[in-house]
Amino acid sequence: MKLITAIIKPHKLDSVREALAEKGVVGMTVTEVKGYGRQKGHAELYRGAEYQIHFVPKVQLQIGVDDNVCDEIVELIQSTACSNAIGDGKIFVSPIEHVVRIRTGETGETAL
Amino acid sequence: MKLITAIIKPHKLDSVREALAEKGVVGMTVTEVKGYGRQKGHAELYRGAEYQIHFVPKVQLQIGVDDNVCDEIVELIQSTACSNAIGDGKIFVSPIEHVVRIRTGETGETAL
Amino acid sequence: MKLITAIIKPHKLDSVREALAEKGVVGMTVTEVKGYGRQKGHAELYRGAEYQIHFVPKVQLQIGVDDNVCDEIVELIQSTACSNAIGDGKIFVSPIEHVVRIRTGETGETAL
Amino acid sequence: MVSDLSYALDTFYFLVSGALVMWMAAGFAMLEAGLVRAKNTAEILTKNVVLFALSCVMFLLMGYSIMYPGENTGWIPNFGFGIGAENTAEAALSGAEDAPYYSMRSDFFFQVVFVATAMSIVSGAVAERMKLWTFLAFVIPMTAVIYPVQGYWHWGGGPLKELGFSDFAGSGVVHMCGAAAALAAVLQLGARKGKYNKNGSANAIPGCNLPLATLGTFILWMGWFGFNGGSELKVSDVGEANAVAQVFVNTNMAACGGAIAALLMSRAYFKKADLTMVLNGVLAGLVAITADPLSPSAEASVLIGAVGGALVFVSILMVDKFKVDDPVGAISVHGVVGIWGLIAVTFNNSEATLSAQLIGIAAIFGFVFVASSLVWFILDKTMGLRVSEEDEYDGVDISECGLEAYPEFSKR
Amino acid sequence: MVSDLSYALDTFYFLVSGALVMWMAAGFAMLEAGLVRAKNTAEILTKNVVLFALSCVMFLLMGYSIMYPGENTGWIPNFGFGIGAENTAEAALSGAEDAPYYSMRSDFFFQVVFVATAMSIVSGAVAERMKLWTFLAFVIPMTAVIYPVQGYWHWGGGPLKELGFSDFAGSGVVHMCGAAAALAAVLQLGARKGKYNKNGSANAIPGCNLPLATLGTFILWMGWFGFNGGSELKVSDVGEANAVAQVFVNTNMAACGGAIAALLMSRAYFKKADLTMVLNGVLAGLVAITADPLSPSAEASVLIGAVGGALVFVSILMVDKFKVDDPVGAISVHGVVGIWGLIAVTFNNSEATLSAQLIGIAAIFGFVFVASSLVWFILDKTMGLRVSEEDEYDGVDISECGLEAYPEFSKR
Amino acid sequence: MVSDLSYALDTFYFLVSGALVMWMAAGFAMLEAGLVRAKNTAEILTKNVVLFALSCVMFLLMGYSIMYPGENTGWIPNFGFGIGAENTAEAALSGAEDAPYYSMRSDFFFQVVFVATAMSIVSGAVAERMKLWTFLAFVIPMTAVIYPVQGYWHWGGGPLKELGFSDFAGSGVVHMCGAAAALAAVLQLGARKGKYNKNGSANAIPGCNLPLATLGTFILWMGWFGFNGGSELKVSDVGEANAVAQVFVNTNMAACGGAIAALLMSRAYFKKADLTMVLNGVLAGLVAITADPLSPSAEASVLIGAVGGALVFVSILMVDKFKVDDPVGAISVHGVVGIWGLIAVTFNNSEATLSAQLIGIAAIFGFVFVASSLVWFILDKTMGLRVSEEDEYDGVDISECGLEAYPEFSKR
Ligand SMILES: Nc1ncnc2c1ncn2[C@@H]1O[C@H](COP(=O)(O)OP(=O)(O)O)[C@@H](O)[C@H]1O
Ligand SMILES: Nc1ncnc2c1ncn2[C@@H]1O[C@H](COP(=O)(O)OP(=O)(O)O)[C@@H](O)[C@H]1O
Ligand SMILES: Nc1ncnc2c1ncn2[C@@H]1O[C@H](COP(=O)(O)OP(=O)(O)O)[C@@H](O)[C@H]1O
């Protein structure tokens, strides 16, 4: 099993969620994060002083998936989250060794 | 070493923390996340419009553990966080290759 | 490729970001988390009742890096984030199998 | 003698005072919204707006006429409806001894905002777990009958008046009355989930927005100048003007005394300046002086307020020991300190007697507690008092109001 | 007869009323800040502070003299500048029938805060997408000319006055006027991104801070006692004092009626107590009674307010159907209910005729709508009405004000 | 001549004004709570509540009698205690030229809330790093002695009065006085950690809650009508009523001028509408007009306020250059602009001379600065001024109050 971690622009969250739901992905966990990358922050003002905000709000999705659908899902996220503008984000795929569904104690792929 | 990532219901956090502390787990990192899964969100109102909230507040625990206690801890989390109700959450276990304690520079298991 | 996950004290974020930027690390993702560890929380008051806050605010950095610079970056984070005080945090390194830059669809190291 | 101008001035003074008391509704709303958790905020705001609206309507329809029947008929007042006719200019300017000297409508306006104050006190105590609709159902008998009946006993010229009971602006009639209904509610309702541990110890459940709670306290403080200041009922000659000024000064100084006492207690016990205790201290000072803000000197008022502030500190700790879960401290602030205020009247006001005060306290507290217990009991059996455990856990905002108070800000 | 004291009392009453109306500026600021998203909060706060300042300056320079030219010159008033000279003591105390009985400056103060109220209504409707500087540019012609001209028609003794149009405190002159300008703006401006789906359905865009919105509503409620109460213009004899008291009572009762009606509608439709609807119900009750808070009984005022509250519920749902995106509901609350208030005058005030009311509604609405459409059109062609899509997405706080309203709290 | 009614009206006017000034305490609390970081919010709220309470008590015990000794004894006033006896009806109605025309208690009430205003100014400047208990210790000598002594010099009929120094409502006596004590504090206290970089440049430390800061500004704006309006001290004849009305209008117009000037400066420099600057502009306009809100025309008041607004913009940038770290801008708003206000008196008030104004400025500023420097120095050596670096980093809420202001909302 794999854990897909995708960092996307916040306003893309709804379309990605819908696209994934259509593909049958029924679970994911979302975290609000801040990103630092090629897309720079912006200057802000405060009582006459200008200062730099380095981080940009992003949303991070974590999705545990079965090995054989992983690539397909990564692609779907990429295409849905892409706006061709800088700061669109990244997708990381890493291995998971073990999964448990807390409610039932089920493990492995059926637990996803 | 393993990284245990557990997504649980927020009101279970205290019992899980206590149960783990009793077992000698002295460290963990907690993030507020939102979950999407079998447990659906709920409808909300706003000035006469109803709309759907798709995400449910959850809490994510990350715990770096030694290989040989991993299973035991996963089981403890599962049994403590379980309320037999939908939306109880998941536990993912993934490999860690390297750990450093920032304060001392120690690495490996002693750093946990 | 590796994913470096560093949990540090919030006020160290700026120095770590600057140190990494100097070394050419152009991307990272930051999450506000709460930590539980050797550094205990503190007692708070509320209308005449004292109670224990078990978690301490921390910041979590996630940085996807190329294998060959990983150690160097871990070391840099460790030395910059270290204040020799309890609660300085941890660094975990875990494997990544696949990376995608959403904007371009690039994969692998060039996507970082 | 009543002239066009003195009538106008007294009426205007009443209306300004009434507007200040109305403003206290905002104070209670902010105070309570600041002291509950984020997930219960929208519901308590809704409650505070609607209880004000309902109280005004019920008091218009029935309450006012019950409370001011115009004659002493013993413990049971005449029941009636409406608010009667306005004074004619002839009557006002007749030169008669008992000529009306302010507008009847201004009197109603001033009185009606008091009722809402009493109801607001209940609202805070039952926060975070009571069903909204049940609470609103309670507002109706409380403001149409229960409050007016005991109000008649003293202010309406009823038996407590006759007995010499003395409560200038309502430490008893308004504050203790609200607290008695609140206590009746809390005893039947039970504590919030997670408030008390199995071993009997209490957990703190911190309010989510202390700036709001502080704002609410300042609003109440300001509104209290109308509450007490207007209760002199007349400003239009030198003696009355001096009296109103004394009331303003004493009201303010008692609040100051309460704040300082609560701060010092907090420092002595915890070595910290517990803001929530200081806010309760301010309110305690205000409640304490309300029973007689005219007789004491400014210095004595500081002391009366300070005792109130110290008392509220102790009372809040005690109430928790008895597992009476009162999220905003309303029972201590308005009930315990209200009693203190009524007793303190006897120190400065030579016309007041301890026995009359105690009888009044017993009568008001007893009647309101019993009558509201009965109403709560009936409501429990019909509508139910308490939201489901799951709704309580998710917050009553979603279950009762269908929305969130702070939808964009993440919560712990 | 005017005496030193009656002059002083009427002036003081005017000033207190004016201070309460000024306070409504804070109410609008808080209401609107609570009902927008966090990312657009600083901009709407800036807008509310600056529109008040600009309105006052423009009304001082031109508006007041246009609105109160002192004679009826038909639909087009005399244009002039400044606020004229203060009354002399001689004139006031001359004993003449038409001797001035309050300070001219107090009149200006009372009037100037009304203008700002009308402008604040526009501010909410265009929230979250209009350019700040364009909005501020609109304030100038609106408060210097458009508002004063129609104000002159009725309150300045112009043709609507002559026709028998009756609008006591401004359901039409202030509230519907503001709503007409708001509607003109929204039609040219378009909806917020993401408000309407391709299939025509509307999305909810919840306001970020309901305690602020509730506070704003309470502030407006309190300020309205000045708004309506001061519009009696005189308090200094028995008849006038009774009238002012009646106005206070009716204003309050209408707000209560509005709240309760909106609550019941919300319960009937959604089984929930939608706080945002209750708040709109309060405001609707207040707007409804403003056209005549003197003639109805207190009970009738509850009903007038209740119809307003029910109407605003329906109107908000309808307005969304027409894809008119009004983030705070200003067009429904002030426009639709303002019209209701003007019509309701005829039920209780025998001097008002339906035809005169309808002519007045048509004249004010028509003129303000056309005139402001023109101004918005010109502004669109010159400065542009709307921020860029990206700025709208990131929030206008950053693009217009360069700062964030809640920089430390994380957002969804 | 003083009649029952004029005495009543002037007293009531005083009390209403005093209640409005008391309300400014809430304004300062909200303003400051909005401009600090979330982690220092509970402490600043506590400070604002307690400083008000302490100021009132100290001014009651000593300050009032020092400030109004009833005779000119040169630079050193008589020291005394208490607030004296109330006027008798006989004295008031004696018909004597100097018969008291309002209640002594109403005068005390009005004065006491001014003291708290001066103290609140200090509170903001030392925010986020001073020990709470040290600050509270400073309140005692400041409000019992330092403020009253310089207050006596002018308002108490002392030497500055004799010299012809003119400060209607306290640009100097209240605002500059507070700013002088604040400057003395900040110089000894030092800047917040992280405010200035090694290379001397300043970092912005944004306030966490701009809606609160805006609310605070509106509260102060409203309260200022009491502050300036009440300082006319009498309303009960045509001339006085006109004067009070003029004061209301000018106070409002100056605030508007300040807001617009600050906005335009912000646009000129940054191309953005910096809300925090606009808020400071409002306050600057108000401070500027306070020294003489009676003599100028409404139009001139706009200008006086506008210069204040422009000045505060420049001053805030300058103060940062000198590494004087003033988190809320109190020294600029109340000090620099207070001086401007005192000088501006000479433009419109023919009785004021520049030399008298400058002497007054030097005397008040010099005395307060030196006296408070001394007190701060002693406090530094005994209790310590500053929290530990760690406590400052974690926020003074935890270390001083033991609680958090927003415990549920996560922070950056
Ligand atoms: N090496 C990295 N490790 C972790 N997160 C990264 C990394 N690089 C970028 N990110 C995340 O991806 C977001 C977008 O990256 P950015 O460089 O701005 O744009 P793009 O990916 O389009 O070139 C960043 O804001 C950050 O959250
Ligand atoms: N595939 C997944 N990847 C990541 N997180 C998941 C996944 N499935 C579920 N979750 C998380 O677990 C939570 C509970 O899942 P849910 O399907 O609602 O209940 P249950 O696990 O009891 O069937 C979700 O809210 C989400 O946070
Ligand atoms: N086993 C662990 N797994 C995950 N996070 C941990 C673990 N141990 C510590 N942490 C994180 O590191 C932080 C610092 O750890 P702590 O034990 O307090 O100090 P130190 O690392 O200096 O001994 C904790 O607050 C927590 O966020």
Side-chain angles (χ1 to χ4, degrees), chain E residues 278-344:
Chain E
V278 172
L279 300 181
N280 274 326
V282 168
L283 299 178
L286 291 165
V287 171
I289 201 68
T290 292
D292 187 357
L294 180 58
S295 314
S297 68
E299 288 84 356
S301 300
V302 175
L303 293 182
I304 291 170
V307 173
L311 214 54
V312 89
F313 188 94
V314 176
S315 171
I316 282 178
L317 299 191
M318 295 295 295
V319 161
D320 243 4
K321 287 261 177 307
F322 288 108
K323 298 200 182 175
V324 174
D325 181 18
D326 175 2
V328 304
I331 294 167
S332 299
V333 168
H334 301 276
V336 174
V337 180
I339 292 173
W340 154 243
L342 289 168
I343 291 172

Side-chain angles (χ1 to χ4, degrees), chain D residues 279-351:
Chain D
L279 299 181
N280 274 327
V282 168
L283 299 178
L286 291 165
V287 170
I289 202 68
T290 292
D292 187 357
L294 180 58
S295 314
S297 68
E299 288 84 357
S301 300
V302 175
L303 293 181
I304 292 170
V307 173
L311 214 53
V312 89
F313 188 95
V314 177
S315 171
I316 283 178
L317 300 190
M318 295 295 295
V319 161
D320 243 5
K321 287 263 177 303
F322 289 107
K323 299 201 182 174
V324 173
D325 180 18
D326 175 2
V328 304
I331 295 167
S332 298
V333 168
H334 301 276
V336 175
V337 179
I339 292 173
W340 154 243
L342 288 168
I343 291 171
V345 175
T346 59
F347 302 158
N348 295 287
N349 184 335
S350 54
E351 286 173 30

Side-chain angles (χ1 to χ4, degrees), chain A residues 3 25-30 62-65 101-103 111-112, chain B residues 7 33-40 56 58 85-90 92:
Chain A
L3 183 67
V25 174
V26 291
M28 72 184 78
T29 299
V30 176
Q62 285 170 295
I63 315 175
V65 295
R101 162 172 291 136
I102 291 176
R103 171 164 50 98
L112 283 175
Chain B
I7 294 137
V33 299
K34 289 178 292 178
Y36 174 80
R38 278 171 193 75
Q39 183 195 16
K40 296 288 163 251
V56 187
K58 301 279 172 197
I86 207 163
D88 272 350
K90 312 269 161 184
F92 301 110

Side-chain angles (χ1 to χ4, degrees), chain B residues 9-11 32 42-46 53, chain D residues 393 398 401-404 407 410-412:
Chain B
K9 291 192 170 168
H11 70 288
E32 284 161 33
H42 55 268
E44 293 204 359
L45 273 186
Y46 186 73
I53 296 285
Chain D
Y393 168 65
I398 301 292
C401 299
L403 43 71
E404 293 173 62
S410 51
K411 278 139 230 155
R412 265 194 202 159

Side-chain angles (χ1 to χ4, degrees), chain E residues 215-279:
Chain E
L215 175 64
T217 303
F218 271 119
I219 292 175
L220 289 166
W221 192 334
M222 191 205 200
W224 228 288
F225 294 119
F227 198 94
N228 286 358
S231 293
E232 178 65 15
L233 309 182
K234 191 168 168 51
V235 71
S236 64
D237 64 36
V238 172
E240 296 291 352
N242 284 345
V244 174
Q246 184 76 46
V247 169
F248 268 66
V249 169
N250 289 354
T251 300
N252 190 56
M253 296 314 307
C256 297
I260 294 171
L263 178 79
L264 294 179
M265 297 287 282
S266 170
R267 180 168 165 91
Y269 275 66
F270 303 114
K271 311 226 173 312
K272 304 266 173 177
D274 180 341
L275 170 61
T276 56
M277 275 296 181
V278 172
L279 300 181

